[in-house]
Amino acid sequence: MKNQVSKWLSIVIPILLGIGIIVYQYSKFTDAQINEIVGYFKNADYFYVCLAVFVGFIGNAIRAYRWKYMLDHLGYDSSFQNNFMAVNIGYLLNLTVPKSGEISRALIVKKYNNIPFDKGFGTIVAERLIDMIFLLFFMLLSVILQFKIVKAFILDKIPLHLIMLLSIFGFVFLVIFILIYKYSKLKIVAVFKEKISGLKEGLLSIIHMKEKWKYFFQTILIWVSYLITYYVATKVIPETSTLTFEAIITCFVVGSIAIAFTNSGFGAYPFLTSKVLLFYAIAEPAGTAFGWIIWTSQMLLVLLLGLLSFLLLPILNRK
């Protein structure tokens, strides 16, 4: 019963949060501004929308191909088609329960390729850590290129006492976790340590695998595809088509954070995009429309590929 409640709360709360953001934002718009947003949707250049979606598709394919390097290093064979469909289904499930897609990917290769769950999940955790490093790199690049704007958008909005409180809480939690993990004799901790050993093998596979440089190169390609997707999308409406490289980097980072730390950016992505574009003299209706056009088109890609993968996965693995 508790698991069911927890499951539904993990679905409902992010959706309600997104709806709350949407209601809050649109309650501040006048009727004329809402009509202006609708006009941006009607007059958008959908050639660039389709091109951005295509580049996003290429990024998904590279991610699936890259995954094979780690699985091969662990001694498990997994076809590109299964990896690709697992990635698509993972993105789809992340639209419901945040981060559930990572678990689903490991379950899919366990079922169809007989790869132990902890090993498969370990490679996915390693993948996410690498992605986090690249996101941090782009965040640092954004701070260097646009320090004043980043400071005005983020640092000035967060009270210093809140930062200190969160830092202290995080440090105390880390210390308690380490002590329990190291000294506790509880059965649940022993089981957790056993699972962690499998995860470690997956994490270390990046360092020790023979094809690590190919893996690293394809990671660069994935993030370049994300950046190109965003750049192409800026051509959708006239107001964003003249954004500089520095501005694109900053907006890309803000959008990536919205997707990484929310329910795939529902509500938060357009809201944060419109707010950061204000610093580049782009009115909020235009920024909001731009954010929704990007987010909606990419989510439609996720929905289409995810549903097709759900349908084709058992069919293509009949044998």
Side-chain angles (χ1 to χ4, degrees), residues 61 80 87 115 119 142 145 147 152-153 180 195 215-216 218 236 249 265 278 300:
F80 169 75
V87 167
I115 298 173
K119 304 292 179 63
S142 175
L145 296 176
F147 178 77
F153 184 70
I180 292 175
K195 293 297 181 183
Y215 182 92
F216 181 73
Q218 289 182 24
V236 169
I249 289 289
L278 286 173
L300 286 175

Side-chain angles (χ1 to χ4, degrees), residues 118 177 181 191-201:
D118 54 351
F177 175 81
Y181 182 82
V191 173
F192 180 73
K193 287 182 178 180
E194 184 181 345
K195 293 297 181 183
I196 286 294
S197 65
L199 293 176
K200 284 180 181 177
E201 187 174 353

Side-chain angles (χ1 to χ4, degrees), residues 99-170:
K99 308 308 176 187
S100 63
E102 284 72 12
I103 297 173
S104 73
R105 283 175 57 182
L107 289 173
I108 287 170
V109 294
K110 179 180 184 298
K111 178 177 181 179
Y112 291 106
N113 296 97
N114 201 29
I115 298 173
F117 174 83
D118 54 351
K119 304 292 179 63
F121 188 66
T123 64
I124 297 166
V125 172
E127 182 180 298
R128 289 308 184 199
L129 288 175
I130 296 295
D131 287 338
M132 184 60 65
I133 291 171
F134 271 79
L135 178 57
L136 290 173
F137 166 76
F138 279 107
M139 290 172 66
L140 178 61
L141 182 61
S142 175
V143 170
I144 293 171
L145 296 176
Q146 303 272 267
F147 178 77
K148 290 183 179 179
I149 288 177
V150 172
K151 183 176 182 294
F153 184 70
I154 299 176
L155 300 183
D156 289 348
K157 306 292 184 182
I158 306 176
L160 181 60
H161 70 274
L162 180 59
I163 295 176
M164 294 179 63
L165 184 63
L166 290 174
S167 299
I168 293 171
F169 177 79

